[in-house]
Amino acid sequence: MSALFQNYNRRPVHLVEGKGTYVWDDQQKRYLDFTSGIAVLTLGHCPEELVQAMKAQSEKLWHTSNLYTSHAQEKLAHDLVKDTHLAHAFFCNSGTEANEAAIKLVRKHTKKHKMITFEQSFHGRTFAAMSATGQAKVHSDFGPILDTFEYVPFNDVAALEAAVDDETAAIMLEVVQGEGGVHVVTPEFAEAIQHICDEKGILLVVDEVQTGIARSGTRYAFEQTALKPHIVTLAKGLGGGFPIGAMLGTAELFDTFNVGTHGSTFGGNPMAMAIAQTIVDVTFNDSFLEKVKASSNYFKEQLAIHLPEVEVRGMGLLLGIELTQPIPEVVAACEEKGLLVVGAGANTLRLLPPLNVSQQEIDEAVQILKQVMLVNV
Ligand SMILES: *Cc1c(COP(=O)(O)O)cnc(C)c1O
């Protein structure tokens, strides 16, 4: 019997080494990694910049706690909000923690507790973030969850209008529902949300844990929509493989998130800051973002050419293809042929290459997908 709790449905592959978009198992079999550790490996496996940043910081200072001033946190916070309408950052260690901070901040700021989230959303596994998640399977067997979330069908303006009232503190959404099946917010829905928030003084929280840090082709996915969130949450891609989370907020929230409100022992630790700063330095510039958009367009074009019958959704390098075959079978067949992919929602295969993926690697992945689809159809 395993010494591990069996809370994950793991593939038997044992990955031991990675470089760029490739990863090797303990049998020296090579795979093209189009999971990126679920949208985490922004620059691929073991990128030189991060290895150097990690080495340099590891010889200087690992941890201080938040008892002391941190110039590294100040700098990263500044760079994350630069040229946006946001003003401040709080650092933690994961996506669910970032959302936990956001939910606490919403409640403290508004003195209300009703929040609207969406069906098929995913916001994490801690109690508040789990309660925010609009999927019954995530809640089941845990007893009473926070009962202040109302789950509204995604991209349904009438349902949203009907759900909002004077007690509504906030609306919280993902620009692309990642875990829920790669569903993108429609322009009309984004406009309706923004309009409702403006009109009724409701806070807007955008969960960019999966979409943030250039994965969508812009620094944050909300930048491609009408949404102007008061709070943005980040994690996955921000650390490129090192655990970190962040909550960004507007200036009006500054006084609410005051001394003693919230905290984290590890949050903003020097190792995490050195690595995340490197990620932001590399990704937050026009030439990098243009390359992500170009790779996204190329990937979508190739999928349209080679798999014309499948629907492709998503933004940037967070793409999903809707399939009729059982996803676990497709994942296993791709793996057999040397391509790692992950499911989302009921029938969607998620394609999440590192943001610096090459055209040749995209070609290779598309060829494997095509072979697998032909065999399985
Ligand atoms: C993965 C994810 C989370 C949870 O992040 P963890 O780091 O696993 O806690 C929250 N929101 C979204 C949109 C995610 O994709």
Side-chain angles (χ1 to χ4, degrees):
M1 194 183 285
S2 172
L4 276 177
F5 279 116
Q6 297 296 299
N7 57 314
Y8 299 108
N9 187 9
R10 297 175 193 268
R11 303 284 317 151
V13 171
H14 180 212
L15 302 172
V16 291
E17 214 178 310
K19 190 72 196 164
T21 309
Y22 291 102
V23 71
W24 286 264
D25 70 12
D26 57 4
Q27 311 294 310
Q28 285 86 48
K29 179 172 168 180
R30 190 181 83 163
Y31 303 85
L32 202 49
D33 187 357
F34 272 44
T35 68
S36 297
I38 317 187
V40 166
L41 301 165
T42 303
L43 302 176
H45 290 274
C46 303
E48 205 44 46
E49 300 96 320
L50 294 195
V51 170
Q52 288 313 324
M54 171 102 178
K55 276 188 183 158
Q57 187 60 46
S58 72
E59 289 169 3
K60 239 162 115 186
L61 184 70
W62 283 51
H63 182 80
T64 60
S65 88
N66 288 298
L67 293 169
Y68 307 103
T69 298
S70 171
H71 292 304
Q73 285 187 27
E74 290 282 352
K75 165 92 170 102
L76 183 59
H78 171 267
D79 289 354
L80 287 170
V81 300
K82 198 168 86 179
D83 304 324
T84 72
H85 66 284
L86 301 157
H88 308 289
F90 160 77
F91 293 108
C92 51
N93 314 286
S94 66
T96 199
E97 282 180 55
N99 287 331
E100 210 71 20
I103 293 162
K104 285 177 73 174
L105 175 54
V106 162
R107 284 189 170 204
K108 188 161 188 269
H109 190 75
T110 62
K111 312 269 193 309
K112 297 177 187 174
H113 51 248
K114 181 177 156 178
M115 283 180 73
I116 290 174
T117 58
F118 296 93
E119 290 175 3
Q120 299 311 121
S121 60
F122 184 80
H123 298 295
R125 300 286 196 166
T126 52
F127 249 90
M130 170 180 83
S131 303
T133 295
Q135 300 187 48
K137 68 172 190 212
V138 174
H139 308 154
S140 65
D141 301 333
F142 294 115
I145 56 171
L146 295 190
D147 62 359
T148 54
F149 290 94
E150 188 171 338
Y151 317 113
V152 170
F154 196 52
N155 284 331
D156 184 336
V157 176
L160 177 64
E161 282 171 347
V164 170
D165 62 27
D166 291 343
E167 289 310 306
T168 306
I171 298 173
M172 176 169 174
L173 77 152
E174 299 153 88
V175 173
V176 183
Q177 291 189 330
E179 304 299 315
V182 194
H183 295 286
V184 184
V185 71
T186 61
E188 306 75 60
F189 199 56
E191 274 163 34
I193 289 172
Q194 190 57 46
H195 180 73
I196 289 169
C197 288
D198 286 343
E199 197 171 49
K200 300 204 183 283
I202 292 172
L203 291 181
L204 178 60
V205 182
V206 173
D207 178 344
E208 297 244 16
V209 168
Q210 190 152 160
T211 51
I213 315 298
R215 184 152 290 276
S216 71
T218 47
R219 296 168 301 174
Y220 307 111
F222 79 77
E223 295 177 283
Q224 296 176 55
T225 71
L227 301 170
K228 211 169 163 210
H230 299 89
I231 298 173
V232 171
T233 55
L234 300 170
K236 294 194 167 95
L238 177 56
F242 197 89
I244 178 173
M247 178 188 72
L248 311 181
T250 55
E252 74 191 270
L253 301 169
F254 186 73
D255 290 336
T256 307
F257 213 71
N258 57 0
V259 171
T261 298
H262 196 54
S264 163
T265 298
F266 292 127
N269 143 318
M271 297 294 286
M273 292 299 101
I275 290 168
Q277 183 67 51
T278 306
I279 292 272
V280 167
D281 290 345
V282 172
T283 59
F284 278 24
N285 61 75
D286 289 340
S287 72
F288 188 89
L289 295 168
E290 286 309 317
K291 263 201 73 194
V292 175
K293 282 184 204 151
S295 297
S296 172
N297 289 336
Y298 182 75
F299 200 175
K300 285 187 276 191
E301 274 164 33
Q302 294 304 308
L303 288 167
I305 293 168
H306 294 282
L307 296 166
E309 68 282 10
V310 304
E311 181 194 338
V312 182
R313 296 189 299 264
M315 278 169 91
L317 292 172
L318 165 47
L319 297 178
I321 56 179
E322 182 84 13
L323 302 178
T324 48
Q325 303 98 304
I327 296 297
E329 283 175 25
V330 176
V331 168
C334 286
E335 184 184 290
E336 169 70 32
K337 293 189 185 302
L339 173 66
L340 304 182
V341 284
V342 57
N347 306 97
T348 306
L349 198 67
R350 229 177 332 167
L351 304 169
L352 299 161
L355 302 186
N356 53 5
V357 65
S358 70
Q359 286 199 351
Q360 192 197 325
E361 289 161 346
I362 291 173
D363 289 340
E364 211 177 309
V366 170
Q367 282 310 316
I368 294 175
L369 287 169
K370 188 176 173 176
Q371 289 166 22
V372 166
M373 301 302 157
L374 290 176
V375 171
N376 278 340
V377 169

